[in-house]
């Protein structure tokens, strides 16, 4: 897998130089001039640890959670106070972990962010199905949350058993969502599970929209080295057939495709913390992407708190991009939306997309991966599948390796990817 990603990286960056991460960071982050800035906050605590989940998390303790939130608010002020006035930010997303375990203090975190940022496109938060009760939802909405994402994974018992998840009470879920409405109600559904058929996946997608959702994320199961689960992977051909079939089904129902595997029943419904040109991350394991750098915070809750207690940013690793490396990163995550706008690329980098990657775009069109209209390149079904297929290689060769090292070492000296 690393061979494929390494060859791709060398070709697109026109260099054999790897992405080199160092144990360093800027004490004052240069985000003042970054357009379309997103915000992300990570709260890593869970009541139960799911075997398939690769994200930074640990068992919930009220005392540890409170100490962590105190440090999180200090980190926000450390970073946000680095520039005068307030910076315009497109959105704010809370991920985890199970952020709703800290529902009573979410407003404190949002208030701290509002001291430094003007959030223009809403606030989203991830929820475990157990958190979807009217009191919790009301607390979150009163705090300013406008979008929620519920980690259902599957409504079906056979897949809940495979994933080690409890049954979801659809009636209670729908009643709570009717009582406390949100702009976007997204639900996560996992595909490429053992024995999963189109009818299985279709039933889960239908259940999302019948249970009060207006947005669905149909994302693939990936075996991370750090997860203890032993769920066998689905074959490439079977996975492609399943993804193509559910995509056609969603489009046939009139749903709007927002990204590779997300669809909404309403134009205004959206939920994605990933497709931002620039973003600031707060909390352990949170990443920050700026014009010429990417940094990631330590995965250790204890070390995170200690670092912030010393009035120091909890950065574990930073990569300083070459221009070509930044272009590759930009294109990879922009393509997640299934579209790349040549005009937006030129505004961001000051150079025409065709001048930099004309050959690759021509080849992608020739192979039937993309179509072009008015300078916007849009993925076909074939292109979307192969993006997903490559993203699986990227995840295991880059993200899995980085996260694995950061779980073992709170502040590694160096890492090359």
């Amino acid at each position: 897998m690393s061979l494929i990603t390494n060859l791709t990286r060398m070709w697109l960056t026109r260099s054999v130089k790897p992405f080199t991460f160092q144990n360093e960071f800027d004490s004052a982050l240069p985000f003042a001039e970054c357009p379309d800035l997103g915000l992300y906050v990570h709260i890593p605590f869970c009541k139960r640890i799911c075997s398939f989940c690769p994200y930074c998390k640990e068992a919930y303790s009220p005392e540890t959670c409170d100490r962590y939130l105190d440090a999180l608010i200090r980190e926000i002020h450390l970073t946000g106070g680095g520039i005068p006035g307030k910076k315009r930010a497109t959105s704010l997303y809370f991920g985890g972990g199970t952020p709703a375990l800290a529902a009573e203090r979410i407003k404190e975190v949002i208030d701290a962010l509002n001291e430094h940022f003007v959030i223009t496109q809403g606030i989203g938060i991830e929820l475990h199905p157990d958190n979807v009760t009217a009191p919790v939802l009301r607390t979150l909405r009163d705090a300013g949350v406008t979008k929620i994402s519920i980690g259902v994974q599957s409504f079906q018992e056979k897949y809940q058993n495979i994933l080690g998840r409890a049954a979801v009470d659809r009636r209670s879920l729908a009643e709570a969502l009717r009582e406390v409405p949100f702009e976007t109600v997204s639900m996560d559904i996992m595909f490429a599970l053992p024995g999963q058929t189109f009818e299985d996946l279709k039933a889960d997608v239908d259940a999302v929209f019948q249970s009060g959702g207006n947005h669905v994320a149909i994302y693939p199961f990936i075996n991370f080295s750090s997860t203890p689960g032993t769920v066998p992977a689905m074959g490439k051909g079977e996975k492609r057939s399943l993804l193509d079939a559910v995509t056609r089904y969603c489009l046939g129902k009139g749903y709007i495709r927002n990204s590779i595997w997300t669809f909404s029943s309403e134009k205004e419904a959206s939920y994605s913390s990933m497709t931002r040109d620039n973003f600031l991350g707060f909390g352990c394991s949170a990443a920050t992407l700026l014009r010429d750098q990417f940094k990631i915070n330590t995965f250790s809750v204890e070390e995170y708190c200690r670092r912030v207690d010393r009035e120091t940013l909890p950065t574990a690793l930073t990569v300083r991009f070459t221009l070509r490396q930044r272009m590759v990163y930009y294109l990879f995550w922009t393509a997640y939306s299934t579209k790349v706008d040549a005009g937006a690329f030129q505004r961001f980098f000051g150079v025409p997309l065709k001048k930099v990657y004309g050959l690759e775009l021509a080849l992608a069109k020739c192979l039937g991966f993309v179509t072009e209209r008015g300078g916007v390149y849009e993925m076909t079904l074939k292109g979307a599948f192969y993006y997903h297929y490559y993203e699986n290689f990227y995840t295991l060769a880059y993200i899995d390796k980085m996260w694995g090292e950061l779980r073992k070492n709170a502040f590694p000296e160096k890492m090359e990817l």
Side-chain angles (χ1 to χ4, degrees):
M1 291 183 184
S2 59
L3 176 62
I4 293 173
T5 51
N6 285 341
L7 289 174
T8 305
R9 185 204 70 238
M10 287 188 284
W11 172 258
L12 294 178
T13 62
R14 306 297 197 264
S15 169
V16 297
K17 182 180 180 180
F19 290 101
T20 302
F21 293 79
Q22 305 279 2
N23 186 356
E24 63 179 29
F25 61 94
D26 296 328
S27 56
L29 296 177
F31 63 88
E33 303 303 321
C34 289
D36 298 321
L37 183 74
L39 305 175
Y40 174 78
V41 172
H42 192 80
I43 298 178
F45 304 102
C46 293
K47 284 284 184 71
R48 295 185 298 274
I49 304 298
C50 295
S51 62
F52 61 87
C53 176
Y55 298 105
C56 175
K57 74 277 184 189
E58 68 173 57
Y60 173 71
S61 153
E63 296 78 14
T64 305
C65 185
D66 274 337
R67 184 186 176 208
Y68 176 83
L69 290 170
D70 291 342
L72 175 65
I73 290 168
R74 284 198 295 274
E75 186 200 1
I76 289 168
H77 291 313
L78 276 173
T79 299
I83 65 169
K86 290 189 178 184
K87 169 66 178 173
R88 187 181 178 90
T90 56
S91 57
L92 164 61
Y93 286 93
F94 288 83
T98 309
L101 291 174
E104 297 297 331
R105 295 195 63 187
I106 290 296
K107 187 176 187 303
E108 286 182 58
V109 179
I110 293 173
D111 286 347
L113 287 160
N114 282 334
E115 288 187 37
H116 306 285
F117 303 95
V118 178
I119 301 164
T120 62
Q121 295 176 21
I123 299 172
I125 192 168
E126 296 175 0
L127 301 172
H128 188 282
D130 291 349
N131 307 135
V132 185
T133 65
V136 170
L137 295 181
R138 197 171 289 111
T139 296
L140 294 174
R141 192 179 65 181
D142 290 347
V145 172
T146 58
K147 308 178 184 191
I148 60 173
S149 173
I150 307 167
V152 172
Q153 318 312 341
S154 179
F155 287 101
Q156 299 170 59
E157 184 178 1
K158 57 185 174 181
Y159 297 118
Q160 291 164 351
N161 290 338
I162 288 172
L163 297 170
R165 302 276 290 199
V168 177
D169 186 335
R170 285 180 56 188
R171 179 176 294 180
S172 297
L173 191 78
E175 286 176 357
L177 293 171
R178 278 195 298 271
E179 187 172 341
V180 189
F182 288 84
E183 172 189 310
T184 298
V185 176
S186 182
M187 298 188 197
D188 290 345
I189 295 297
M190 194 175 287
F191 88 93
L193 293 169
Q196 193 175 39
T197 66
F198 167 65
E199 290 302 321
D200 291 328
L201 196 51
K202 173 179 172 294
D204 271 340
V205 170
D206 288 343
V208 166
F209 293 104
Q210 292 164 4
S211 302
N214 59 7
H215 184 277
V216 64
I218 311 165
Y219 71 99
F221 173 80
I222 297 178
N223 262 320
F224 286 81
S225 63
S226 59
T227 56
T230 55
V231 179
M234 180 178 283
K236 175 183 173 182
E238 191 179 359
K239 189 184 290 187
R240 179 176 180 183
S241 296
L242 194 57
L243 182 61
D244 285 356
V246 76
T247 299
R248 290 192 181 97
Y249 176 71
C250 288
L251 295 176
K253 295 281 287 186
Y255 300 150
I256 301 160
R257 189 174 198 175
N258 313 108
S259 72
I260 291 294
W261 44 67
T262 64
F263 300 86
S264 62
S265 59
E266 300 170 11
K267 186 177 180 181
E268 296 76 19
S270 63
Y271 198 98
S272 174
S273 58
M274 300 168 67
T275 50
R276 300 289 180 273
D277 292 344
N278 306 279
F279 52 83
L280 290 173
F282 302 96
C284 66
S285 82
T288 289
L289 173 68
L290 302 176
R291 177 75 187 197
D292 61 356
Q293 65 175 275
F294 175 95
K295 79 179 190 76
I296 188 165
N297 285 349
T298 181
F299 271 49
S300 167
V301 170
E302 182 62 29
E303 292 300 328
Y304 170 85
C305 293
R306 286 180 185 171
R307 192 84 169 250
V308 177
D309 285 346
R310 298 197 302 267
E311 300 289 313
T312 304
L313 293 181
T315 307
L317 292 168
T318 299
V319 61
R320 311 285 180 177
F321 289 117
T322 65
L323 180 59
R324 282 274 187 171
Q325 286 177 338
R326 186 62 174 91
M327 287 176 174
V328 171
Y329 197 99
Y330 174 96
L331 290 173
F332 182 83
W333 287 111
T334 300
Y336 178 80
S337 70
T338 73
K339 297 177 183 178
V340 173
D341 185 331
F345 180 94
Q346 184 164 351
R347 285 191 295 274
F348 193 89
F349 292 104
V351 60
L353 177 60
K354 280 188 176 180
K355 182 176 181 180
V356 185
Y357 291 116
L359 174 62
E360 289 81 0
L361 291 169
L363 184 60
K365 288 171 67 175
C366 182
L367 293 173
F369 292 159
V370 300
T371 59
E372 180 192 2
R373 184 174 182 180
V376 176
Y377 295 85
E378 185 168 2
M379 290 182 190
T380 61
L381 282 179
K382 180 180 179 182
F385 171 76
Y386 278 101
Y387 173 93
H388 152 70
Y389 194 64
Y390 183 83
E391 197 265 347
N392 186 79
F393 286 108
Y394 165 84
T395 297
L396 293 176
Y398 286 79
I399 297 177
D400 190 36
K401 182 179 177 181
M402 173 181 282
W403 289 359
E405 178 61 27
L406 286 167
R407 280 187 176 86
K408 293 183 291 185
N409 187 346
F411 298 102
E413 284 302 314
K414 184 177 179 180
M415 184 181 299
E416 291 188 346
L417 298 174

